[in-house]
Amino acid sequence: MDEKEEDRSEESLRKHLIFYKKLNKTISDIQTEIQTFTDEKVLKHLNDRIEAMELDKTRIRKMFPEVNIETWKDLN
């Protein structure tokens, strides 16, 4: 994916940090939801969603390598 210069701006970082925190919340919610299902198709779908969100989180961390590791941990 090509990144534009503005993708790494301070405002972009702020917005991505908010999005990162929302991804963590959504992952947590899905993990809780998984506990209520036994259907393998539903479980696979939910786990695939989590995997996709984890990839998105990794992409965001790579976009902003200057951000302290503690900052990412604090968003969990």
Side-chain angles (χ1 to χ4, degrees), residues 8-55:
R8 295 175 186 237
S9 69
E10 195 64 34
E11 181 178 349
S12 178
L13 171 60
R14 185 181 55 80
K15 288 178 181 180
H16 278 89
L17 291 175
I18 292 167
F19 181 61
Y20 190 94
K21 187 168 185 162
K22 288 180 182 181
L23 284 172
N24 283 330
K25 170 76 168 100
T26 302
I27 289 169
S28 177
D29 291 347
I30 291 172
Q31 288 171 333
T32 301
E33 187 178 354
I34 283 174
Q35 304 304 315
T36 65
F37 289 100
T38 56
D39 184 295
E40 286 300 315
K41 288 182 182 180
V42 172
L43 292 173
K44 179 176 179 352
H45 170 74
L46 294 174
N47 283 313
D48 288 348
R49 286 185 63 202
I50 289 173
E51 185 178 326
M53 286 183 253
E54 290 291 347
L55 289 172

